[in-house]
Amino acid sequence: MQQFQSLQRLLIFYALSLTVMLLLYYVTMFDGMKKHSEQHSIDTFYALQHSIIEHAAPVDSEIKRILEQPTFDHLSYQLILMMPSGQTYIHHNTRPNESAFSTVAFPTIGTSASSSSDHSSYTVNSNELTGIINLKSGHQIYIVLRHEPFVVDWISYRYWLPLMVAIVLFFMALLYMLNRRTNWEQLLVYTDNLSSRAKESYTPPPFLQKKSTTEFMLLGHALSRVSYQLHNDYRRIKTLTHRLERLVDQAPLPMLMSIRHGQISFYNQRFEQVFTPLTQRGQSYELTDFVEGKDEATQILLKTISSLRVTRTLIVYGLENKQAYQLHVTPWFGEHGQVHGFTVIFNNVDEIFHQSEQLQLHNQQLQLQIDESNEAQAFIGRKLRIPLEKIIDSLEPIDPSTLTAQGKKTLNTLITTSQSMLTVLNETLTTEEVEVRKTRLSIETVDIYKVSKEVSNLVTKEIRQQGLELIYFFAPDCPRYIETDYIRLHHILLNLLKNAISFTTSGYVALTVDRVPEDKVTRISNQHLTPNNDTTMPAQTSYWIRFSVKDTGATITPERKNQLVNILNQSNHNLVEDSNIGLSDANSFAQLLGGFIELSNTVDKETIFSLYLPYPHTTYQSVYHRCSQLPHIHLIAIINQPLVAEHLQRLCEYLTISVTIYSALDRATAQQLKKQLKQDEQTVIPVLLLDYEYSESITLPDHASNKYSEQQEVLNDLVATPSLPKILLSMKLERHIPSTLLGQYDGFLTKPLDASLLLSELLRLTLFARKTLNILVKHQYDSSLSFVEEEIPKKEILSPLILVVEDSPTNQKIACKMLSKLGYRSIVAEDGQQALEKLKSQREEISLILMDCRMPVMDGLQATQVIRSQGDKIPIVALTANNTEEDREACMQVGMDEFLSKPISKKDLESVLQSFIQ
């Protein structure tokens, strides 16, 4: 019974429960009998009291007659009658088998005695009732009543039936427990034999065929399934073990297994045949006892194999046979991801290695022959291509209308033949020089402002990553359109900028586009990069366009300058440094376009590469357009970069904007500025433009003085001026500027400074102030109505502003170009969060949103939900690459107004914009 303690405890608990219930029954029954006896004594007392009270002055004879009534025959009592005269009578009676009253005593009734009237009282204890009856006549009766004893009649069913029921229930439970014990014994025996019998065959539980309870039937079925699964698993393990023994032990490749620390725990027969380990008892081996790595890194990896977490393939050599092996090491992991050991397979590749070495030698010989052939082809190509291109360049400008029929035919034959020869030459040669000249010129009207902006945008990210500053300026007097080759001009500028970036570690890189008179170009010395200085100046050129790329990189020494000039004279470009190949290409393209590249140095040790292109026309279309409202604006710029300050000064002078530029601020300058602003507050509207990099520089501590702290304090006072609109200019993106700092400014511009965006911000921030200023002017000049009408400027008409929300830089540029061609302005946000910020700051200007649906941080659907939840009804057009009905429904459900699929069609975009924007 020791192993069935649960059944034993259950039986004991059941027996105790029956015993307690039986005891409670008998205790309750005997307590009821006792209370019944006490109540009988109380009733007898009240009956005696009633009988005595009927006699006003009872005498002893009357008391006797009362006591002779049948009610008192079977009672044990003692009654004392005390007359008013003091005479006393005693009456007593006892039941058979009870002791008589030994003494006569007058009982004392306490204050807590029970009573039904004021004439009598009594007390009750476990054996008797003691009471006193007082009559009005002065008689007193003392009585003691013994309780009627209760007799247990065991013949009565109320005494023996509960005991018998409890005994029967106990034996029923005992029989049930014994039956369960038998079932458990069979179940335990069957469970103990599962592991041994499962190897032989499947055996069902023994009591499944007998009558048993449901739970044992369920347990039996569950164990039956376990037994069946164990039997199948044993057979499968036995089969797999048999297979592994055949595969591993008889495998043709050496194989081994090692524990996590590198000791070999198992190896197959082939490993033993190849490496012949000693079979000494207790001998442990590691992988490095048999092989060594082909190099030092492999050898270190073999010694620290315990740190390996991925499968590696290594080349090793046997320590004894010196043959090469390809070693495959694969870690195997436990259930919690920890490495338990490694599986190693050896593959003999000694013969393949010897063959590979021979092939490498043969390939080297072939490569030398190919290099020699390429050098010969390159030499022939350079010697043939330049004269051939000069022939084509000379033939193409000839006007066929000035020739005879035979001359036209001859000209056409020469052009066709030379172009065919050039095509064959380009297709035959494979050197890098072919890429420089394999395309012919495509002269067309090119927007050089657009080209220079595109090139500066391409390098902006690289500039930011290197911590440099990018400066861009398009001179106001420079024409916007010239006749040139767009692709080659783009290539020249990009190569010059990248060359400048590669040699600049700190400072800035600047791209400036301006106009240069012809007489100045003719005075340029032979410092420009032209091979043999044979550039031919175009005839009838009134002035030239100059693209200057300036950087603060390493100073070019005279020796280095001569080296750059000699680069173009190298016969083999393989000798040229990679950083100068782009410069060589740029100079070649410049010559094709009729221009040249000049190299110069400034006094400040700045390097300038200038591309000069001819422009024979005298009329031009300006990039910047004057506005009648600009003279009312006074721009206060704090910029510590002299070149940016110079460009900004030229721009403001052209646009008639009054400007004051400071490279640094001190207390005296700030006081003078505030005094000037107070004097001009009725005539001009001040706007502050602050260089963020300058504000960062003055926050650095100066150990020599407190100059920076004073400048910072003065700048903080100026920024805190509430009536002064403020614009922050930075090379960093807006999301990289601290939000606490951005909150102090009304606008933000990124470098390089975009003049059109600057003008837009100036007009936006001064809109309300200009209206107020116009009202003041109207009141001052009300006497001269015609003058007032002339001076009050009309509301400038700006094209609608479109917010482009797109994370791809390429898609941003495409969308902005399309919008520009369609006559719309555009601003860009890289994700939904930025879109919400820009919409909040420029809501009055933005007319429509082009929203990409898939973006990081916050996608277009989430951003649209936020905009609509704010009650904004601005038109939102979805941009998505998935043109499906599900995507369209998702966009419409969040509140978008229209749906455009990528790539965007210019015609569809124009139609959508016209439908939403008047």
Side-chain angles (χ1 to χ4, degrees), residues 110 199 298 310 343 375 386 666 686 716 777:
K199 299 179 181 180
T298 307
V310 294
T343 302
E375 291 176 4
I386 294 176
D666 53 22
N716 292 338
V777 172

Coordinates of all heavy atoms in Angstrom, one line a residue, residues 110 199 298 310 343 375 386 666 686 716 777:
G110 N -31.0 33.8 42.3 CA -30.3 35.0 42.0 C -31.1 36.0 41.1 O -32.2 35.7 40.7
K199 N 10.4 -2.0 -27.5 CA 11.4 -2.4 -28.5 C 11.0 -3.7 -29.3 O 11.4 -3.9 -30.4 CB 12.7 -2.7 -27.7 CG 13.3 -1.5 -27.0 CD 14.6 -1.9 -26.3 CE 15.1 -0.6 -25.5 NZ 16.4 -1.0 -24.8
T298 N 43.8 31.2 -41.0 CA 43.2 29.9 -40.9 C 43.6 29.1 -39.7 O 42.8 28.5 -39.0 CB 43.4 29.1 -42.2 OG1 43.0 29.9 -43.4 CG2 42.6 27.8 -42.2
V310 N 29.0 29.9 -37.4 CA 28.5 29.6 -38.8 C 29.3 28.6 -39.4 O 30.5 28.3 -39.1 CB 28.4 30.9 -39.6 CG1 27.5 31.9 -39.0 CG2 29.8 31.5 -39.7
T343 N 30.8 19.5 -36.5 CA 30.9 18.4 -37.4 C 31.9 18.8 -38.5 O 31.8 19.9 -39.1 CB 29.6 18.0 -38.1 OG1 28.6 17.7 -37.1 CG2 29.7 16.8 -39.0
E375 N 46.9 47.7 -74.7 CA 47.7 48.9 -74.8 C 48.0 49.2 -76.3 O 47.9 50.4 -76.7 CB 49.1 48.6 -74.2 CG 49.0 48.5 -72.6 CD 50.3 48.1 -72.0 OE1 51.3 48.1 -72.8 OE2 50.4 47.9 -70.8
I386 N 41.3 60.9 -82.6 CA 41.4 62.4 -82.5 C 41.3 63.0 -83.9 O 40.5 63.9 -84.2 CB 42.6 62.8 -81.7 CG1 42.4 62.4 -80.3 CG2 42.8 64.3 -81.9 CD1 43.6 62.7 -79.4
D666 N 28.8 91.7 -31.9 CA 29.3 92.1 -30.5 C 28.2 93.1 -30.0 O 27.2 93.4 -30.6 CB 30.6 92.7 -30.5 CG 30.8 93.9 -31.5 OD1 29.7 94.5 -31.9 OD2 31.9 94.2 -31.9
P686 N 12.2 94.5 -41.3 CA 13.4 93.7 -41.1 C 13.2 92.2 -41.0 O 12.1 91.8 -40.5 CB 14.0 94.3 -39.7 CG 12.7 94.7 -39.0 CD 11.8 95.2 -40.0
N716 N 21.4 85.8 -28.7 CA 20.1 85.3 -28.0 C 19.2 86.5 -27.8 O 18.0 86.4 -28.0 CB 20.5 84.7 -26.7 CG 21.2 83.4 -26.8 OD1 21.1 82.7 -27.9 ND2 21.9 82.9 -25.8
V777 N 1.2 103.9 -45.4 CA 1.6 104.7 -46.6 C 0.4 105.4 -47.2 O 0.4 106.5 -47.6 CB 2.3 103.9 -47.6 CG1 2.6 104.7 -48.9 CG2 3.7 103.4 -47.1

